Amino acid sequence: MDAPVIEKALTIKQAATLAGVGTETVRFYEREGLIPQPPRTESGYRQYPQETVVRIRFIKRAQNLGFSLPEIK
């Protein structure tokens, strides 16, 4: 039996770097509802799941193909 995969939560900087965007872009996508708001630590730091990186990359690819953010949303 395989052990369960434990995903490490990402900081906003880690998520942005892996997705190839800046941290302000991540915050903007979050405000606009393109990515879900992540849980936060007790001290208020965002903890992004790995899926966020995949979603941001999808958004950027769709934009490069000519889709607007409202269309992507």
Side-chain angles (χ1 to χ4, degrees), residues 32-44:
E32 294 298 311
L34 291 158
I35 59 173
Q37 290 190 350
R40 292 181 181 247
T41 63
E42 287 184 23
S43 56

Side-chain angles (χ1 to χ4, degrees), residues 58-72:
F58 170 83
I59 293 166
K60 297 308 291 180
R61 278 194 311 272
Q63 283 183 305
N64 289 335
L65 291 172
F67 289 93
S68 68
L69 291 179
E71 290 172 322
I72 296 167

Side-chain angles (χ1 to χ4, degrees), residues 2 5 7 9 13-14 17-19 23 28 35-37 43 45 47 50 52 55-56 58 60 64-65 71:
D2 292 333
V5 176
E7 291 188 13
K13 179 147 179 67
Q14 290 170 326
T17 300
L18 289 170
T23 56
F28 175 76
I35 59 173
Q37 290 190 350
S43 56
Y45 289 101
Q47 294 186 304
Q50 300 285 334
T52 300
R55 178 72 180 161
I56 293 170
F58 170 83
K60 297 308 291 180
N64 289 335
L65 291 172
E71 290 172 322

